[in-house]
């Protein structure tokens, strides 16, 4: 066959009609067919990877998710229901098969959790991510600043998620990010100032595109961006963002709103009634705006829920009931030294009473247990004669009185 009559074995184009014609053993292929074949192969590989990622997500119904949360987290029914519905809808949205004719695009259901310290905000997000088998990371909003200032860029949040996914970009793009202390990036004041609010409103502005869904350039090792550094591109469209914050003082904003309509004797009676209940249950997006979050940021968190302060019965259940309950952890620790540890009911009541005094929530329980058991954990490993230890209220009072926590007074 003459060179003029050579044609592509796939499309039939002659050599003069194409840019490049590559010869094989028994045929030829042109640059157009190579380009199309490459596109088909990439689409097939991407489709297979997507299916693989979707199959790894262990999607359960909201009631099943809540049942799983119940075994780890005591109370907080409202927050658990909201979290389960938001997460279920989000991953249902990711795993849906979209047809060419379907023009309905379901948006993300990012979530804000409002609750005092130690009520279980972080634990809630961490537990549900573990149940779904998706990458999960916790970021702290207090260290974030605008790009170009001392601190971390908002993209550093995604660096942690990428590390949690073992640098698998496809897996990271289906993960959950928990941004803690979101209330610390509130606008410092409404008054215009000659100084920039680089760690407050500036951070909120930088987070907008990240939360809604965009392709972000992420430094693989975290930290600040450098021009010479190689970046990894991550699409945040399918990443679920959960924010948590104590929003200290927001109760006063809610109180002003819910009590303004009442006057006279009925008002004072209603005031006394509402003083004892959790005002966070009346929280609305407008309260977050008054606190200092910008409306654009609030709008990207369609789900807003609250966590109740932990009362005495809840703290008692937290000590003993969950799968990883604090008492069970200490029993396991002492078992490793062949010592049987037990707690009397009055001892547990003492621990709970002191936790309520410190106002540190569930975290306070561990601090108090450490103070009470510190001497035993120091001496018993070296004392082979001790095979059993029963913790009584008298023992708790004695050990706690000698600890530094005993001097802690909370206003």
């Amino acid at each position: 066959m003459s060179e003029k009559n050579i044609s592509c074995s796939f499309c039939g184009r002659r050599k003069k009609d194409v840019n490049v014609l590559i010869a094989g053993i028994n045929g030829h292929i042109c640059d157009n067919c190579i380009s199309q074949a490459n596109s088909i192969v990439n689409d097939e590989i991407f489709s297979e990877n997507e299916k693989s990622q979707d199959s790894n997500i262990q999607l359960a119904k909201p009631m099943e998710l809540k049942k799983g949360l119940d075994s780890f987290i005591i109370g907080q029914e409202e927050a658990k229901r909201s979290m389960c519905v938001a997460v279920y809808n989000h991953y249902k949205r990711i795993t849906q098969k979209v047809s060419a004719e379907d023009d309905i695009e379901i948006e993300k259901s990012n979530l804000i959790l409002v609750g005092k310290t130690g009520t279980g905000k972080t634990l809630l997000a961490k537990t549900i991510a573990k149940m779904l088998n998706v990458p999960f990371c916790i970021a702290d909003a207090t260290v974030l600043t605008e790009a170009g200032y001392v601190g971390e860029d908002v993209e550093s949040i995604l660096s942690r998620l990428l590390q949690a996914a073992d640098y698998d970009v496809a897996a990271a793009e289906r993960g959950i990010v928990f941004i803690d202390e979101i209330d610390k990036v509130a606008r410092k004041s409404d008054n215009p100032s000659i100084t920039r609010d680089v760690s407050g409103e500036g951070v909120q502005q930088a987070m907008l595109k990240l939360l809604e869904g965009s392709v972000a350039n992420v430094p693989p090792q975290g930290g600040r961006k450098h021009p010479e550094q190689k970046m990894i591109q991550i699409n945040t469209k399918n990443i679920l963002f959960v924010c948590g914050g104590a929003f200290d003082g927001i109760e006063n904003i809610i109180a002003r709103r819910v009590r303004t309509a009442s006057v006279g004797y009925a008002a004072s009676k209603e005031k006394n009634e509402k003083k004892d209940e959790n005002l966070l249950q009346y929280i609305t997006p407008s309260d977050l705006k008054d606190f200092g979050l910008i409306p654009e940021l609030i709008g990207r968190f369609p789900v807003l829920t609250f966590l109740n302060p932990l009362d005495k019965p809840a703290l008692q259940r937290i000590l003993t009931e969950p799968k990883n309950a604090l008492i069970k952890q200490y029993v396991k620790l002492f078992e490793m030294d062949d010592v049987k540890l037990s707690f009397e009911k009055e001892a547990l009541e003492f621990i709970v009473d002191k936790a309520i005094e410190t106002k540190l929530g569930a975290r306070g329980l561990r601090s108090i247990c450490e103070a009470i058991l510190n001497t035993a954990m120091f001496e018993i490993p070296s004392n082979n004669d001790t095979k059993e230890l029963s913790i009584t209220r008298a023992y708790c009072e004695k050990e706690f009185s000698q600890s530094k926590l005993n001097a802690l007074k909370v206003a």
Side-chain angles (χ1 to χ4, degrees), residues 137-139 143-144 149 151-164 167 217-232 234:
C137 77
I138 300 173
V143 297
L144 301 176
Y149 291 86
E152 291 189 11
D153 295 341
V154 291
E155 285 83 2
S156 64
I157 293 171
L158 299 178
S159 298
R160 293 187 180 88
L161 185 64
L162 196 60
Q163 289 160 10
Y167 292 92
N217 290 317
V218 179
Q221 305 303 324
R224 302 202 65 79
K225 292 180 181 178
H226 301 287
E228 299 84 10
Q229 192 176 14
K230 187 180 178 183
M231 300 291 179
I232 295 176
I234 294 180

Side-chain angles (χ1 to χ4, degrees), residues 89-132:
N89 286 341
H90 177 72
Y91 283 103
K92 192 165 58 170
R93 162 185 173 266
I94 289 177
T95 54
Q96 70 170 336
K97 292 180 176 66
V98 182
S99 62
E101 297 80 20
D102 191 3
D103 58 352
I104 299 173
E105 186 177 348
I106 303 170
E107 293 185 355
K108 281 199 295 184
S109 48
N110 293 328
L111 184 79
I112 286 189
L113 300 171
V114 180
K116 293 185 177 179
T117 182
T119 50
K121 300 184 292 294
T122 310
L123 182 62
L124 200 58
K126 191 186 292 184
T127 305
I128 207 159
K130 192 175 180 182
M131 289 164 59
L132 290 166

Side-chain angles (χ1 to χ4, degrees), residues 264-292:
Y265 173 73
S268 63
K269 186 178 179 182
E270 184 183 344
K271 187 175 180 179
N272 289 332
E273 287 173 358
K274 284 189 175 171
K275 192 176 180 180
D276 298 329
E277 64 182 327
N278 180 23
L279 283 169
L280 289 178
Q281 64 185 300
Y282 304 112
I283 194 165
T284 64
S286 65
D287 297 321
L288 298 181
K289 180 178 176 291
D290 292 340
F291 188 84

Side-chain angles (χ1 to χ4, degrees), residues 11-244:
C11 67
R13 287 190 182 95
R14 293 183 179 277
K15 185 176 181 180
K16 64 178 183 179
D17 299 327
V18 297
N19 295 320
V20 178
L21 192 65
I22 299 172
I25 296 173
N26 295 315
H28 299 77
I29 184 169
C30 69
D31 57 313
N32 293 317
C33 291
I34 290 170
S35 178
Q36 287 182 9
N38 182 53
S39 177
I40 291 167
V41 169
N42 287 338
D43 287 346
E44 286 294 319
I45 291 172
F46 178 78
S47 177
E48 287 300 318
N49 287 341
E50 200 171 39
K51 287 176 185 174
S52 172
Q53 292 297 335
D54 291 343
S55 64
N56 288 336
I57 298 172
Q58 299 171 2
L59 188 61
K61 305 288 190 295
M63 290 184 74
E64 295 167 9
L65 286 171
K66 185 181 175 298
K67 195 177 289 184
L69 289 176
D70 287 339
S71 60
F72 289 95
I73 300 162
I74 297 299
Q76 311 299 3
E77 298 300 312
E78 181 74 24
K80 283 193 280 194
R81 287 167 68 97
S82 298
M83 173 73 89
C84 292
V85 170
V87 166
Y88 177 69
N89 286 341
H90 177 72
Y91 283 103
K92 192 165 58 170
R93 162 185 173 266
I94 289 177
T95 54
Q96 70 170 336
K97 292 180 176 66
V98 182
S99 62
E101 297 80 20
D102 191 3
D103 58 352
I104 299 173
E105 186 177 348
I106 303 170
E107 293 185 355
K108 281 199 295 184
S109 48
N110 293 328
L111 184 79
I112 286 189
L113 300 171
V114 180
K116 293 185 177 179
T117 182
T119 50
K121 300 184 292 294
T122 310
L123 182 62
L124 200 58
K126 191 186 292 184
T127 305
I128 207 159
K130 192 175 180 182
M131 289 164 59
L132 290 166
N133 191 30
V134 294
F136 172 78
C137 77
I138 300 173
D140 191 354
T142 53
V143 297
L144 301 176
T145 57
E146 276 189 68
Y149 291 86
V150 175
E152 291 189 11
D153 295 341
V154 291
E155 285 83 2
S156 64
I157 293 171
L158 299 178
S159 298
R160 293 187 180 88
L161 185 64
L162 196 60
Q163 289 160 10
D166 292 328
Y167 292 92
D168 183 343
V169 175
E173 288 181 342
R174 283 162 164 71
I176 295 177
V177 174
F178 181 78
I179 305 175
D180 205 2
E181 309 291 351
I182 192 66
D183 52 316
K184 303 304 186 293
V185 296
R187 185 186 293 167
K188 300 298 182 283
S189 73
D190 290 328
N191 297 325
S193 172
I194 58 170
T195 57
R196 291 173 65 92
D197 190 6
V198 298
S199 61
E201 186 179 351
V203 173
Q204 295 185 54
Q205 298 285 0
M207 288 173 67
L208 296 179
K209 279 295 177 188
L210 201 70
L211 297 169
E212 192 173 37
S214 64
V215 178
N217 290 317
V218 179
Q221 305 303 324
R224 302 202 65 79
K225 292 180 181 178
H226 301 287
E228 299 84 10
Q229 192 176 14
K230 187 180 178 183
M231 300 291 179
I232 295 176
Q233 288 194 327
I234 294 180
N235 192 337
T236 65
K237 182 182 177 183
N238 292 329
I239 296 174
L240 183 67
F241 289 90
V242 180
C243 287

